Amino acid sequence: MNTDRFMLGVPSSKRTVAASLVVLAAMLVVPFVTTSYYTGLAMTALVFLMLGVSWNLLAGYAGQISLGHAAFFGLGAYVAAWLTTPSAAGLPAIPFPLSHPVVALVLGGVGAALVALVTGPVMFRLRGHYFAIGTLALAAIIRLILTDQRSISGGSTGYYLNAGMGEIPTYLLTVVVAALATIGVYLVVNSRLGLGMRAIHDDETAASGLGVDPLRYKMYAFLISAFVAGLAGAAYALNSLYINPTSTLAVTWTVDTLVIVILGGMGTVAGPLFGTVIFMIIDNGLASVLGGLATTVEGIIIILVVIFLPNGIYGYLKSYVAQRREGDTATSS
Amino acid sequence: MSLLNCNGVTKRFGGVVALDDVSFEVERGETVGLIGPNGAGKSTLFKVITGSHAPTEGSVHYDGTDITGWSPHDICHEGLVKTHQIVRPFENLSIHQNVEVGAEFGGRRPENVEERAYEALEFVGLDERAHETPTELSVGALKRLEIARVLATDPGILLFDEVAGGLDPEETEEIVSLIGDIKDRGKTVFLIDHVMRALMNVSERVFVLNNGEFIAKGTPAEIQNDEQVIEAYLGTSAERDEGPTRGEA
Ligand SMILES: Nc1ncnc2c1ncn2[C@@H]1O[C@H](COP(=O)(O)OP(=O)(O)OP(=O)(O)O)[C@@H](O)[C@H]1O
Ligand SMILES: [Mg+2]
């Protein structure tokens, strides 16, 4: 039996699987039963889910706080734009399989992962807060370069994509990719790779004394995380069909991602899911009720969660359920 | 050829000379004790051997291979492991997973990881708590978890840094018998203790470190009667001999 090998903090019951399938089915029918406004919201939620899953793997599991995720997101968006609509960047025509939106989306992830592959060994010379600052600087540099290179990024005028897959198919593709990314990261977390990452997260010195090569497992986390963030960016570009350096590389993407994972619960697979739902409700619900005050109230809610529910909302629910169970077994025995 | 060989090892931290031209050998299958007062350099020596500090000068050889300046994970793969003076469990992993890290990454053969981790837990008597988190363990149990983790890497030599430090006599006795069992498995053991106690009686030889230098090497009996040791260390105060005088630093 290999199932509970690495399972601490990971839900694995049939009920969880059933609930996930229901959510997945609901997401798939959204464009057929609601308006395009709600489909747009659902698309945004999926993009945030992918970003949350991505950041959570690196920070929540491998313990490496990145403040540069907007860079991977933006790169993914631009790679998808260049491949599907090369003429807008003055690029020669891209042959068919590469220019197809599905391939472009995957390559958006690959492009982001390549940047992680090249920059990771340098970034990971920095530890803790310095790594965080390093990634922030990396993102700033990438943003500067793209903003500066108007011919390939569209500058502030932006970049119009001509992806030609239609609104609903693109949305459905996003649902599938988000689900696969979530499942993929779930499998990684529960594998040998995940064990190495979690050991480093808890104590890098102890881990390396037991044979874990810290750089190697940080790099695995960085690559996979960048890949998923790139997918999110590419999905965003293909859905919105218009991007510019500010809209895709702005630090707000990183901040919102942090908020989602911290609200939901770092280092848990369900955390980003819960965080995304709560974030979407707060972000959109509050704005419609409170108008200009929404951001302030949002900030207060986040501070309260961090103070009173340091393990996030999913973390709180999990320990609440565990306590109830313990109480039950104690009274029944 | 000896299993572990340190040659002229010096370690300086800025102006502090923690180790000063230390040389010694540990033979295969031997159990060697290392004692010395606070700040003598004992932990530093273990950290230099297992790669968390590079020596300023000198070399470390293991089984004929020069491992000076290697990274801790490479040294672990080579067969040298160390427990920590202050326990360092992975707090978000289960007790079983803590040991799996050693079994999975520490050896050259990551097979039957689950079983091997379980065996190591059984060996130290923590198998029934395998699915709890280490935060629920007592200091004594945490020390045994440290031992289980390094054992799971299937090492050639185990370095125990005050593995009985801060424990009561009963818990200390458990650790002593564990070390006896480890010796019986043919492993080489190198262990630090703060004072000449039960742990030293499992050692065939004892080294005494003072101010970064060896001041004596010999059998436990010889060390207990060595004038210089008594003066520099054991005899500094009569009360100290009565028992552990110090919590863990
Ligand atoms: N990382 C470090 N940086 C600077 N100085 C250090 C460092 N580690 C140890 N030292 C110094 O080196 C000397 C030896 O320390 P070490 O921890 O090896 O002693 P020890 O024999 O293990 O003592 P104890 O019995 O208290 O554990 C001390 O003076 C200590 O302050
Ligand atoms: Mg010490």
Side-chain angles (χ1 to χ4, degrees):
Chain A
M1 222 191 61
N2 208 29
T3 46
D4 65 7
R5 256 190 78 188
F6 302 101
M7 282 293 172
L8 201 77
V10 177
S12 64
S13 68
K14 288 194 182 112
R15 218 184 301 163
T16 312
V17 174
S20 312
L21 288 176
V22 171
V23 172
L24 183 61
M27 292 306 285
L28 285 171
V29 301
V30 164
F32 303 106
V33 299
T34 66
T35 60
S36 89
Y37 169 75
Y38 285 105
T39 308
L41 277 187
M43 185 278 286
T44 309
L46 290 167
V47 167
F48 274 125
L49 173 64
M50 282 189 267
L51 277 171
V53 163
S54 151
W55 192 77
N56 188 40
L57 177 72
L58 185 61
Y61 285 96
Q64 309 302 309
I65 307 283
S66 154
L67 296 178
H69 258 51
F72 301 123
F73 181 82
L75 281 168
Y78 269 100
V79 168
W82 293 327
L83 289 174
T84 56
T85 322
S87 55
L91 298 169
I94 307 272
F96 161 68
L98 293 179
S99 62
H100 190 274
V102 176
V103 180
L105 183 118
V106 174
L107 290 178
V110 172
L114 280 177
V115 171
L117 179 68
V118 173
T119 57
V122 181
M123 288 290 133
F124 287 122
R125 289 178 159 263
L126 308 168
R127 294 215 185 165
H129 303 309
Y130 297 103
F131 173 76
I133 293 166
T135 56
L136 190 62
L138 173 70
I141 292 167
I142 289 175
R143 185 179 168 189
L144 275 178
I145 293 174
L146 277 175
T147 310
D148 197 45
Q149 300 298 312
R150 295 183 58 94
S151 59
I152 57 164
S153 71
S156 47
T157 321
Y159 199 118
Y160 290 89
L161 282 79
N162 184 7
M165 220 171 64
E167 194 179 318
I168 292 182
T170 310
Y171 170 81
L172 295 178
L173 171 66
T174 309
V175 176
V176 171
V177 170
L180 289 178
T182 308
I183 295 166
V185 168
Y186 172 88
L187 294 176
V188 166
V189 166
N190 290 295
S191 70
R192 166 188 164 89
L193 282 187
L195 186 68
M197 291 173 194
R198 292 161 75 191
I200 291 169
H201 171 279
D202 282 6
D203 191 328
E204 193 173 325
T205 303
S208 69
L210 293 169
V212 183
D213 178 350
L215 178 61
R216 165 173 256 172
Y217 288 88
K218 286 178 189 174
M219 279 301 291
Y220 288 143
F222 200 41
L223 290 180
I224 300 168
S225 183
F227 176 72
V228 176
L231 288 180
Y236 173 81
L238 291 172
N239 277 288
S240 53
L241 296 179
Y242 168 78
I243 57 174
N244 65 50
T246 310
S247 75
T248 56
L249 289 151
V251 75
T252 48
W253 284 108
T254 306
V255 174
D256 289 348
T257 304
L258 261 73
V259 167
I260 282 169
V261 179
I262 290 167
L263 277 180
M266 273 172 86
T268 60
V269 168
L273 271 164
F274 278 74
T276 302
V277 172
I278 295 156
F279 177 81
M280 291 301 291
I281 293 171
I282 295 177
D283 208 47
N284 296 285
L286 283 183
S288 59
V289 179
L290 297 172
L293 272 178
T295 325
T296 314
V297 175
E298 199 177 320
I300 293 171
I301 292 176
I302 291 159
I303 291 169
L304 290 177
V305 168
V306 171
I307 294 175
F308 294 106
L309 304 174
N311 295 322
I313 287 163
Y314 176 71
Y316 170 75
L317 288 176
K318 209 175 62 177
S319 58
Y320 177 75
V321 170
Q323 263 169 18
R324 283 267 306 259
R325 279 218 195 106
E326 239 168 60
D328 287 352
T329 48
T331 46
S332 64
S333 61
Chain B
M1 186 180 51
S2 48
L3 187 63
L4 176 66
N5 187 324
C6 281
N7 205 339
V9 168
T10 295
K11 178 68 192 175
R12 278 190 285 272
F13 295 107
V16 180
V17 183
L19 294 171
D20 190 2
D21 196 15
V22 169
S23 299
F24 66 90
E25 293 178 348
V26 175
E27 304 303 325
R28 198 180 296 274
E30 202 182 14
T31 300
V32 175
L34 175 63
I35 60 169
N38 261 334
K42 307 181 295 295
S43 296
T44 304
L45 179 59
F46 274 23
K47 286 175 187 166
V48 166
I49 294 170
T50 53
S52 41
H53 291 324
T56 317
E57 280 162 41
S59 65
V60 183
H61 284 77
Y62 175 75
D63 207 5
T65 307
D66 186 351
I67 57 166
T68 320
W70 285 25
S71 60
H73 54 269
D74 287 334
I75 289 178
C76 171
H77 293 150
E78 202 67 16
L80 295 90
V81 285
K82 172 178 104 64
T83 63
H84 305 276
Q85 181 170 354
I86 299 162
V87 294
R88 309 184 74 136
F90 304 119
E91 290 188 344
N92 296 302
L93 299 184
S94 72
I95 289 165
H96 187 243
Q97 289 171 328
N98 262 268
V99 182
E100 273 189 328
V101 173
E104 180 84 54
F105 300 99
R108 265 165 284 200
R109 37 172 209 123
E111 304 139 13
N112 308 325
V113 167
E114 213 178 334
E115 290 80 358
R116 278 169 46 225
Y118 201 75
E119 253 171 46
L121 277 177
E122 218 167 12
F123 183 78
V124 303
L126 283 174
D127 47 320
E128 281 175 4
R129 311 190 64 177
H131 297 290
E132 295 173 34
T133 52
T135 38
E136 290 152 50
L137 295 180
S138 66
V139 185
L142 284 170
K143 293 279 191 181
R144 282 183 281 133
L145 179 58
E146 286 267 330
I147 296 177
R149 285 199 312 196
V150 293
L151 265 181
T153 67
D154 193 19
I157 183 167
L158 299 98
L159 279 62
F160 292 133
D161 191 347
E162 302 207 21
V163 75
L167 301 188
D168 64 30
E170 195 183 325
E171 289 170 325
T172 305
E173 209 35 61
E174 282 171 17
I175 300 279
V176 171
S177 90
L178 273 182
I179 291 174
D181 294 342
I182 293 169
K183 284 176 64 172
D184 293 345
R185 288 183 166 196
K187 304 277 185 199
T188 309
V189 177
F190 193 12
L191 53 96
I192 291 176
D193 204 358
H194 183 64
V195 286
M196 215 38 202
R197 282 189 315 194
L199 272 186
M200 286 303 134
N201 298 331
V202 298
S203 310
E204 283 115 38
R205 284 195 297 154
V206 175
F207 301 161
V208 185
L209 196 61
N210 191 27
N211 283 329
E213 289 177 275
F214 282 140
I215 56 168
K217 291 178 188 168
T219 64
E222 283 164 3
I223 295 300
Q224 257 152 343
N225 297 319
D226 188 293
E227 282 297 319
Q228 215 186 342
V229 175
I230 293 168
E231 202 175 302
Y233 174 54
L234 295 173
T236 43
S237 71
E239 321 78 86
R240 236 194 227 182
D241 288 347
E242 298 300 310
T245 51
R246 180 187 66 98
E248 275 183 86

